Amino acid sequence: MPPSVSGFQAAYISVEVLIALVSVPGNVLVIWAVKVNQALRDATFCFIASLAVADVAVGALVIPLAILINIGPQTYFHTCLMVACPVLILTQSSILALLAIAVDRYLRVKIPLRYKTVVTPRRAAVAIAGCWLLSFVVGLTPMFGWNNLRAVQRAWEANGSVGEPVIKCEFEKVISMEYMVYFNFFVWVLPPLLLMVLIYLEVFYLIRRQLSRKASASAGDPQKYYGKELRIAKSLALILLLFALSWLPLHILNCITLFCPCWAGAREQSHQRSLWKWGSGASAELDFRPGGPDPSSPGHLAEDTLRELSWGKRAPLSFPGLSFAHFLCVQSLALQGRQGRLLAPLS
């Protein structure tokens, strides 16, 4: 019998499908434009094309997988783990691509005279390959053992079952929360975010300083160049804000779940490991009363509603916001590049 879909899930799936329908064709057009337009084949657009590839994969692969995890079908443990890992790989690739673009913007305003000799297409290709390699390492780490197999296996064997555990495929059942917090967030999400903030602050400072120095001079190429860089930096700063708004709430929830289990209600299930879940204190107390919780109680309803928003029960809600943010970034930079406003470092 196929799993039922709640109203919350239906709304979530609708948003995901809408984002995919917008993101995939738009980013395919960006990749096609870079391929056919010689003027766009420089280091900057190598990074933008890499971001577009990641976003096409997010729309074409990650979003369908996120919807699958959202529904929660019955699968073998490693099958579910293989479904969850591409989500980590491609979102990490998008994050690193955004960081590479930020570094590129910094170099354009820091060393405009030497930019083309320092940031060559070959070096950009090496940087892109490094970003994708790191993304695969980060995303596939759970496949190499940092997962919940032991806990699930113990619960599976405690029921007298043998072989590989069959579970309801949900993200937190296969992906370790320690991995998500200590490794994914503290190493590969938060540091790039803080680094991008510092980079763009420095970019704004350098541009403002250059514009103030040339304020009394006639309007020439340098001032036009830095003025255009300032507008681009403002657009990218907005993308950084959308990036933070997309991911930080999710990872903060993960941190609270890991470090403050007193905020969550623990529900013991015979066929799986205990999962910490959001809920009110009343519902947590009801869980351990004889006869179990009252499904109609306000505390239980609050727990069910909040559990819909957790990693453990639902696929990440960050995909729609992050995909749309990346889509805006790629489209904005590609448009400015086609108009000849991006590829003109000082010479």
Side-chain angles (χ1 to χ4, degrees):
M1 180 179 179
S4 60
V5 178
S6 67
F8 180 90
Q9 288 176 295
Y12 170 82
I13 292 172
S14 299
V15 173
E16 292 277 28
V17 171
L18 178 62
I19 294 298
L21 292 176
V22 173
S23 178
V24 172
N27 284 291
V28 167
L29 289 176
V30 170
I31 297 170
W32 177 80
V34 173
K35 178 179 176 57
V36 301
N37 193 335
Q38 292 287 343
L40 301 183
R41 295 184 186 178
D42 79 333
T44 298
F45 272 87
C46 288
F47 295 120
I48 294 176
S50 176
L51 177 60
V53 169
D55 289 341
V56 169
V58 167
L61 178 62
V62 170
I63 286 180
L65 293 179
I67 293 173
L68 181 63
I69 294 176
N70 182 280
I71 297 173
Q74 294 287 333
T75 65
Y76 288 110
F77 181 90
H78 283 96
T79 301
C80 184
L81 189 62
M82 291 176 63
V83 170
C85 283
V87 172
L88 300 170
I89 294 171
L90 293 172
T91 51
Q92 186 62 50
S93 174
S94 294
I95 292 170
L96 293 179
L98 288 174
L99 178 60
I101 291 174
V103 173
D104 179 72
R105 305 324 303 165
Y106 171 75
L107 293 176
R108 288 180 68 89
V109 300
K110 182 67 174 180
I111 52 170
L113 298 178
R114 296 187 295 118
Y115 172 80
K116 286 188 175 181
T117 59
V118 173
V119 185
T120 62
R122 180 182 179 86
R123 291 174 179 173
V126 171
I128 291 170
C131 289
W132 279 98
L133 179 61
L134 284 174
S135 299
F136 274 93
V137 171
V138 173
L140 291 178
T141 296
M143 293 292 296
F144 299 123
W146 199 346
N147 54 52
N148 292 330
L149 177 60
R150 290 184 180 180
V152 173
Q153 188 78 46
R154 284 196 297 267
W156 179 256
E157 293 174 353
N159 284 340
S161 303
V162 296
E164 184 175 0
V166 176
I167 62 172
K168 184 177 181 181
C169 186
E170 295 173 349
F171 193 90
E172 193 183 84
K173 288 182 183 177
V174 294
I175 301 296
S176 167
M177 189 58 64
E178 287 79 9
Y179 162 84
M180 287 302 303
V181 173
Y182 292 122
F183 188 66
N184 189 276
F185 180 49
F186 287 165
V187 178
W188 295 106
V189 173
L190 188 59
L193 174 62
L194 296 177
L195 184 56
M196 281 188 276
V197 170
L198 295 176
I199 288 173
Y200 283 117
L201 287 176
E202 181 67 12
V203 167
F204 283 125
Y205 170 75
L206 291 173
I207 293 175
R208 292 293 187 185
R209 187 177 65 178
Q210 291 295 333
L211 290 176
S212 63
R213 284 180 178 180
K214 302 177 184 300
S216 59
S218 60
D221 287 340
Q223 188 160 0
K224 291 172 60 179
Y225 172 77
Y226 285 109
K228 293 166 187 174
E229 288 295 328
L230 179 61
R231 290 192 293 271
I232 294 172
K234 288 180 178 179
S235 298
L236 293 172
L238 175 61
I239 301 306
L240 178 60
L241 175 63
L242 293 174
F243 166 78
L245 292 177
S246 294
W247 281 107
L248 285 183
L250 175 67
H251 286 286
I252 290 172
L253 175 62
N254 286 342
C255 291
I256 293 175
T257 302
L258 181 64
F259 297 131
C260 302
C262 56
W263 286 81
R267 186 184 299 271
E268 190 74 32
Q269 299 182 5
S270 61
H271 64 283
Q272 64 183 36
R273 72 182 184 90
S274 297
L275 296 176
W276 287 109
K277 298 175 181 179
W278 280 84
S280 66
S283 67
E285 293 177 1
L286 286 170
D287 283 346
F288 298 98
R289 293 176 183 175
D294 178 7
S296 63
S297 67
H300 189 267
L301 293 176
E303 180 188 14
D304 285 343
T305 301
L306 289 168
R307 190 163 62 246
E308 293 286 340
L309 300 175
S310 69
W311 264 108
K313 191 67 176 176
R314 298 295 160 231
L317 290 174
S318 298
F319 292 133
L322 189 60
S323 297
F324 190 60
H326 293 173
F327 173 74
L328 290 178
C329 175
V330 171
Q331 296 299 323
S332 175
L333 293 180
L335 177 62
Q336 294 187 57
R338 287 195 297 270
Q339 293 173 342
R341 297 176 181 175
L342 184 59
L343 307 174
L346 295 178
S347 58

